[in-house]
């Protein structure tokens, strides 16, 4: 079975719905009603946008989808030409009863098909009055037809009052399959443009979901809205709109995430329906790439899978690729897509080492494989609702998350958390556990854990007590993530591309839609992301900066010093602020190229020489004052005096001179102050020296 999750997203009550459509870019559903009015709903915030009839804009939108408008409820078909001011340019004759629906062939815009109450389907060619051929087989009137838009199959589908749905091969003109199940007239049929399903609606009030290759009935949907009249899916989306006697519904079908994966060398593989395609970033050569711009990739067909992949994933070393879907998995060689192993599985995960993997066969059985042979199977105490790959095998159940050792299948540690994603760093030292609300960054103490498992000391019913150390929790919802060194790069629920390092979040970009991280290629200094339309974009992120930050987190300053020259000058300020926040002010002072930041750091560190030099270069009274304060605090009165002179701070100088009882200084000060016209200070200095101001 396909095991498509189906969730209801929107219910909009109205009079009887004639047709529904989803806007290609906006979150809008448009429904035209039998009463003649048109209603538009926003399915994100569930608000009615327009409810009036004769809404020109909406009508035009609808017509654009149809390209031309046909006249049905008549025995002839008339073609009205959009470009020629809606003149009727052609009449097609042949049906002997009402024509119920007309659709263009998406693979050939000169061909269209019609379904009629005369029980036939006719296929026509523009330019020819008579039909090319007629498909006969239904025993009652044909209400609805649709073309198959994906892949290789020359198929048409029809639904009729005989309660049957028929699939036709329009090349050899035969009925390939008949779908039985509806208890009343079939009113609408739809080949989903992306998912391997056929949707059919009926006056029996149900919408049925059939597998488009096996023709198995996957699901029967009944939302209690009386007779079903129309159903529409959308390319690049898992939303499907349904129209009934009592209103419209939007449902979400299947996984939101596309089946797409990139290996470490930049080969990207994805599945469209069950066709697997590959694109190689290297093949782009030295083409100039800008941030956020769609990459023009040369796509190569790899062949097709025997299942519909809901997930596709490279092995960590890139040699294999696994697809999982329809309750099965198949491991292929990544080079030639030759199958290597397969079997039943709800879920499949790779270990960090490409020779091992695990499958979840049911809600309480897990099998671990090594070199394509089953090594162990086990039933976790609290069941298995989800599994996670990486350095340890993660198993989610109602009681939380349990980590198991790949070799022994022994419990390493149990955490009370319901994870969505778990992402391990390459070193296996750090991991991110993302939940519905936030994400945690943890350190895995591998040596401690294996020592405890070996000696059986410090083991509790939750495994090794201190196997993990929590480094931080961030209140952001991670959608996809990857580690580069000790930096965790991720996309979040508000479409921001960020990275986390040492408790800090750096924003790389604001994305305009949901994107999935494919990976990072250090050689390119770029991050790659894909969306559900399989568009690939990239953003620049310097590997030197990530390496430097990683070295700092590991306290490896000799490594940091080696990386530093590779960091461009304009990036050093950012790096210096990072160092400062991590408590490495001395290093920050050495790295920063920003005089303001350096001066501040020099003051904090008591680096008088550097601060003096910076104050001299800046010729800033403010800096001299700050330095004077510090010098005074450090009892470096000579320096303080110089600074106060530069700062022209006579008040300060006076204080300094009198406090230190330096009459010589008081004398100089008196003159300076008098010249500057600072009578207050001048008066005081003369007074202190016992001189009359008026002498
Ligand atoms: C349909 O008819 C047109 C015109 O007679 C012809 O050119 C075309 O090849 C026919 N197509 C098929 C699929 O029979
Ligand atoms: C027509 O083609 C379909 C495949 O699309 C095949 O299953 C069927 O046997 C063919 N029928 C005839 C009569 O050639
Ligand atoms: C089904 O179609 C027939 C015509 O073929 C019609 O007479 C009948 O009323 C329809 N059934 C329902 C439930 O509307
Ligand atoms: C794997 O390949 C073998 C031989 O090439 C083939 O017989 C088999 O059907 C394939 N199985 C899957 C699941 O692709």
């Amino acid at each position: 079975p396909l095991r498509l999750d189906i969730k209801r997203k929107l219910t909009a009550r109205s009079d009887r719905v004639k047709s529904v459509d989803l806007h290609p870019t906006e979150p809008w559903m448009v429904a035209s009603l039998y009463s003649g009015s048109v209603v538009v709903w926003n399915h994100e915030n569930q608000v009615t946008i327009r409810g009036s009839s004769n809404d020109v804009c909406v009508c035009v939108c609808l017509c654009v989808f149809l390209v031309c408008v046909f006249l049905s409820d008549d025995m002839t078909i008339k073609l009205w030409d959009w470009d020629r001011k809606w003149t009727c340019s052609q009449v097609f004759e042949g049906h002997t009863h009402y024509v119920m629906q007309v659709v263009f062939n998406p693979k050939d815009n000169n061909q269209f098909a019609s379904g009629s109450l005369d029980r036939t389907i006719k296929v026509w060619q523009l330019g020819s009055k008579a039909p090319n051929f007629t498909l006969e087989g239904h025993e009652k009137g044909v209400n609805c037809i649709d073309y198959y838009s994906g892949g290789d199959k020359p198929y048409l589908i029809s639904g009729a009052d005989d309660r049957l749905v028929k699939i036709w091969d329009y090349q050899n003109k035969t009925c390939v399959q008949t779908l039985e199940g509806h208890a009343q007239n079939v009113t609408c049929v739809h080949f989903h443009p992306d998912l391997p399903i056929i949707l059919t609606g009926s006056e029996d009030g149900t919408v049925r979901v059939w597998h488009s290759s096996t023709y198995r009935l996957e699901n029967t949907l009944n939302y209690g809205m009386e007779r079903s009249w129309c159903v529409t899916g959308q390319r690049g989306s898992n939303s499907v709109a349904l129209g009934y006697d009592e209103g419209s519904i939007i449902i979400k079908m299947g996984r939101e995430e596309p089946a797409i994966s990139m290996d470490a060398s930049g080969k990207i593989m994805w599945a469209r329906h069950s066709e697997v395609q590959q694109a190689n970033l290297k093949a782009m050569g030295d083409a100039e790439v800008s941030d956020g711009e769609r990459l023009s990739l040369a796509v190569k067909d790899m062949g097709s899978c025997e299942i519909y992949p809901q997930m596709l994933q490279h092995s960590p070393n890139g040699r294999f690729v696994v697809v999982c879907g329809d309750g099965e998995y198949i491991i292929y060689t990544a080079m030639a897509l030759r199958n290597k192993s397969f079997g039943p599985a709800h879920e499949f995960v790779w270990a960090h080492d490409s020779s091992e993997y695990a499958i979840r066969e049911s809600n309480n059985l897990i099998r671990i494989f090594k070199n394509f042979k089953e090594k162990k199977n086990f039933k976790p105490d609290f069941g298995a609702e989800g599994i996670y790959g990486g350095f340890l095998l993660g198993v989610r159940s109602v009681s939380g998350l349990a980590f198991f050792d790949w070799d022994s299948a022994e419990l390493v540690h149990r955490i009370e958390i319901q994870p969505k994603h778990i992402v391990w760093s390459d070193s296996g030292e750090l991991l991110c556990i993302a939940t519905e609300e936030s994400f945690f960054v943890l350190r895995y103490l591998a040596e401690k854990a294996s020592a405890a498992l070996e000696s059986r000391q410090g083991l509790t019913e939750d495994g090794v007590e201190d196997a993990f150390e929590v480094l931080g929790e961030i209140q952001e919802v991670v959608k996809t993530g990857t580690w580069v060194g000790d930096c965790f790069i991720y996309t979040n629920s508000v479409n921001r591309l960020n990275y986390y390092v040492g408790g800090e979040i750096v924003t790389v970009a604001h994305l305009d839609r949901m994107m999935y991280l494919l990976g990072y290629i250090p050689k390119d200094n770029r991050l790659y992301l894909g969306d559900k339309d399989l568009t690939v974009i990239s953003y620049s992120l310097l590997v030197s900066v990530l390496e430097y930050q990683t070295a700092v987190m590991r306290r490896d300053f000799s490594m940091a010093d080696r990386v530093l020259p590779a960091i461009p000058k304009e990036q050093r300020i950012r790096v210096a602020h990072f160092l400062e926040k991590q408590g490495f002010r001395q290093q920050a002072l050495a790295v920063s190229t920003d005089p303001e930041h350096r001066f501040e750091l020099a003051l904090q560190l008591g680096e008088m020489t550097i601060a003096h030099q910076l104050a001299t270069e800046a010729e800033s009274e403010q800096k001299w004052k700050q330095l004077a304060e510090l010098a005074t605090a450090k009892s470096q009165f000579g320096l303080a005096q110089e600074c106060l002179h530069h700062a022209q701070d006579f008040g300060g100088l006076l204080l300094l001179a009198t406090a230190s009882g330096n009459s010589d200084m008081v004398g100089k000060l008196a003159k300076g102050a008098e010249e500057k016209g600072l009578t207050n200070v001048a008066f005081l200095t003369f007074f202190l020296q016992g001189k009359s101001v008026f002498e």
Side-chain angles (χ1 to χ4, degrees):
L2 265 179
R3 288 172 210 291
L4 288 174
D5 286 339
I6 300 179
K7 283 191 204 110
R8 181 155 29 160
K9 284 262 294 185
L10 171 94
T11 304
R13 297 271 168 188
S14 70
D15 290 340
R16 184 169 156 191
V17 177
K18 193 171 185 175
S19 75
V20 278
D21 207 351
L22 294 164
H23 193 280
T25 52
E26 299 296 331
W28 299 346
M29 172 175 70
V30 53
S32 71
L33 311 182
Y34 271 89
S35 62
S37 50
V38 171
V39 192
V40 182
W41 285 275
N42 183 321
H43 52 83
E44 256 166 26
N45 57 19
Q46 319 245 323
V47 164
T48 309
I49 301 171
R50 290 261 161 71
S52 68
S53 53
N54 306 325
D55 189 300
V56 173
C57 162
V58 171
C59 287
V60 168
C61 291
L62 281 172
C63 296
V64 169
F65 297 137
L66 293 170
V67 184
C68 304
V69 175
F70 289 95
L71 189 75
S72 63
D73 275 11
D74 187 351
M75 283 173 244
T76 57
I77 300 167
K78 291 174 184 159
L79 175 67
W80 303 79
D81 199 321
W82 165 273
D83 286 335
R84 288 185 220 148
K85 301 192 173 162
W86 303 100
T87 51
C88 177
S89 67
Q90 221 171 327
V91 180
F92 302 87
E93 285 167 305
H95 279 300
T96 56
H97 205 318
Y98 290 145
V99 174
M100 300 302 284
Q101 194 177 3
V102 178
V103 282
F104 268 102
N105 185 344
K107 290 170 197 157
D108 175 3
N109 285 331
N110 283 315
Q111 194 193 70
F112 66 92
S114 57
S116 159
L117 291 188
D118 69 7
R119 307 176 181 185
T120 68
I121 299 142
K122 291 185 188 292
V123 175
W124 313 76
Q125 207 75 26
L126 291 184
S128 168
K129 269 187 167 178
N132 270 48
F133 53 89
T134 302
L135 300 171
E136 288 176 79
H138 280 295
E139 287 178 4
K140 286 191 181 171
V142 176
N143 293 318
C144 47
I145 49 173
D146 193 19
Y147 273 100
Y148 177 63
S149 57
D152 44 350
K153 296 172 195 161
Y155 285 0
L156 253 172
I157 183 174
S158 60
D161 283 343
D162 58 9
R163 304 173 183 182
L164 299 178
V165 172
K166 285 182 180 287
I167 322 267
W168 309 84
D169 181 315
Y170 59 77
Q171 270 168 6
N172 65 18
K173 306 178 183 65
T174 52
C175 173
V176 179
Q177 191 79 23
T178 300
L179 309 180
E180 291 178 50
H182 279 299
Q184 265 306 337
N185 302 346
V186 177
T187 53
C188 50
V189 288
H190 180 62
F191 266 116
H192 196 282
D194 289 339
L195 300 168
I197 53 172
I198 294 166
L199 293 140
T200 61
S202 158
E203 291 182 30
D204 66 11
T206 66
V207 169
R208 289 175 191 244
V209 183
W210 316 78
H211 196 295
S212 61
S213 312
T214 64
Y215 306 115
R216 191 174 41 205
L217 176 66
E218 297 284 342
N219 245 307
T220 300
L221 309 174
N222 192 338
Y223 293 110
M225 304 270 278
E226 296 300 328
R227 293 172 296 180
S228 153
W229 294 111
C230 42
V231 46
T232 314
Q234 198 185 7
R235 185 172 291 285
S237 157
N238 56 352
S239 295
V240 172
L242 313 171
Y244 294 90
D245 270 336
E246 297 185 348
S248 325
I249 286 180
I250 294 184
I251 53 174
K252 285 257 182 203
M253 306 188 78
R255 262 166 63 104
E256 195 99 28
E257 295 100 284
I260 183 167
S261 171
M262 181 173 89
D263 72 6
S265 76
K267 285 204 192 78
I268 304 172
M269 222 183 246
W270 60 70
R272 264 187 206 277
H273 297 272
S274 36
E275 308 300 315
V276 178
Q277 298 181 322
Q278 183 178 282
N280 193 347
L281 293 177
K282 271 192 205 143
M284 290 195 307
D286 294 330
E288 204 46 53
V289 179
S290 11
D291 283 359
E293 194 180 275
R294 181 195 184 122
L295 303 182
S296 55
L297 297 170
V299 175
K300 184 173 133 198
D301 284 321
M302 299 292 287
S304 68
C305 291
E306 282 169 34
I307 58 173
Y308 170 70
Q310 300 207 37
M311 168 275 230
L312 182 153
Q313 182 96 61
H314 280 96
S315 60
N317 64 11
R319 287 183 50 203
F320 301 103
V321 62
V322 68
V323 294
C324 198
D326 298 4
E328 285 174 51
Y329 75 93
I330 308 174
I331 300 173
Y332 294 103
T333 58
M335 287 285 278
L337 210 70
R338 257 201 306 273
N339 80 38
K340 190 81 186 143
S341 192
F342 52 90
H346 288 349
E347 253 184 295
F348 177 107
V349 292
W350 294 104
H352 68 285
D353 162 4
S354 297
S355 69
E356 281 185 294
Y357 55 86
I359 59 146
R360 187 171 69 85
E361 197 171 294
S362 68
N363 278 351
N364 58 15
L365 180 62
I366 287 167
R367 296 183 194 277
I368 299 178
F369 292 79
K370 192 173 176 86
N371 297 323
F372 308 105
K373 291 202 180 62
E374 184 170 334
K375 192 171 78 172
K376 255 196 172 71
N377 65 66
F378 69 108
K379 296 185 170 186
D381 288 345
F382 300 95
E385 290 176 357
I387 52 174
Y388 305 88
F391 273 75
L392 294 171
L393 172 60
V395 178
R396 174 169 50 88
S397 71
V398 280
S399 83
L401 170 66
F403 281 111
F404 294 91
D405 183 74
W406 281 97
D407 279 328
S408 62
E410 250 193 292
L411 176 69
V412 176
H413 193 63
R414 200 188 311 277
I415 306 175
E416 269 186 46
I417 195 170
Q418 288 292 322
K420 285 278 285 177
H421 312 282
I422 298 179
V423 192
W424 289 81
S425 71
D426 283 339
S427 67
E429 205 182 318
L430 300 172
L431 70 158
C432 162
I433 303 182
T435 73
E436 297 275 12
E437 291 94 38
S438 64
F439 73 89
F440 295 84
V441 176
L442 295 90
R443 187 186 302 287
Y444 173 50
L445 307 168
E447 280 171 22
K448 204 168 181 175
S450 53
L453 286 177
E454 193 137 312
S455 67
R456 320 303 300 168
Q457 304 266 307
L459 289 187
T460 69
E461 60 176 17
D462 286 336
V464 180
E465 229 167 323
D466 302 315
F468 291 94
E469 188 185 330
V470 179
L471 302 180
E473 179 186 0
I474 283 78
Q475 297 298 324
E476 275 187 68
V477 180
V478 168
K479 289 291 186 180
T480 52
T482 185
W483 287 87
V484 178
D486 288 3
C487 306
F488 179 63
I489 307 170
Y490 61 94
T491 56
N492 69 14
S493 53
V494 291
N495 297 333
R496 216 157 279 171
L497 176 60
N498 287 348
Y499 75 91
Y500 167 100
V501 59
E504 270 191 80
I505 310 279
V506 180
T507 295
V508 180
H510 294 256
L511 307 168
D512 61 0
R513 62 189 185 283
M514 179 67 208
M515 300 292 304
Y516 303 85
L517 253 179
L518 297 174
Y520 180 73
I521 306 278
K523 185 179 59 64
D524 301 350
N525 287 298
R526 296 193 87 80
L527 268 170
Y528 294 89
L529 301 99
D531 68 6
K532 57 190 175 190
D533 293 331
L534 307 173
T535 298
V536 178
I537 61 169
S538 73
Y539 282 92
S540 118
L541 184 57
L542 293 180
V543 68
S544 53
V545 173
L546 298 176
E547 277 177 353
Y548 189 88
Q549 291 180 317
T550 298
V552 170
M553 291 317 297
R554 295 179 185 171
R555 310 284 188 270
D556 184 351
F557 286 102
S558 63
M559 171 72 180
D561 289 344
R562 276 200 304 279
V563 176
L564 187 63
I567 299 179
K569 290 271 185 292
E570 67 276 8
Q571 295 280 334
R572 302 242 175 136
I573 297 169
R574 202 170 103 193
V575 169
H577 281 283
F578 170 77
L579 282 164
E580 185 189 359
K581 287 200 186 123
Q582 296 301 320
F584 302 114
R585 285 187 295 201
Q586 201 73 52
Q587 285 84 351
L589 177 60
V591 166
S592 184
T593 51
D594 173 15
E596 297 294 326
H597 190 209
R598 295 192 69 216
F599 183 73
E600 234 171 72
L601 288 165
L603 286 188
Q604 287 170 19
L605 290 162
E607 291 282 356
M608 309 308 269
T609 323
I610 295 175
H612 184 266
Q613 190 192 334
L614 287 164
T616 313
E617 284 164 10
E619 293 177 12
S620 141
E621 282 188 14
Q622 182 55 35
K623 283 202 172 58
W624 285 120
K625 270 189 192 150
Q626 280 175 275
L627 187 55
E629 249 171 58
L630 185 66
T632 312
K634 287 190 158 234
S635 307
Q636 296 185 9
F637 296 118
L639 178 61
Q641 188 183 346
E642 185 198 338
C643 295
L644 288 169
H645 262 296
H646 284 296
Q648 310 245 350
D649 183 350
F650 291 98
L653 280 170
L654 177 60
L655 189 67
L656 186 64
T658 50
S660 57
N662 186 338
S663 63
D664 210 31
M665 186 175 163
V666 175
K668 273 193 197 142
L669 180 59
K671 271 215 182 86
E674 193 184 17
E675 278 161 23
K676 285 261 167 209
L678 293 164
T679 44
N680 270 348
V681 176
F683 173 79
L684 267 171
T685 45
F686 287 128
F687 182 76
L688 283 170
Q689 293 175 88
K691 293 180 182 166
S692 160
V693 189
F694 308 105
E695 266 177 29

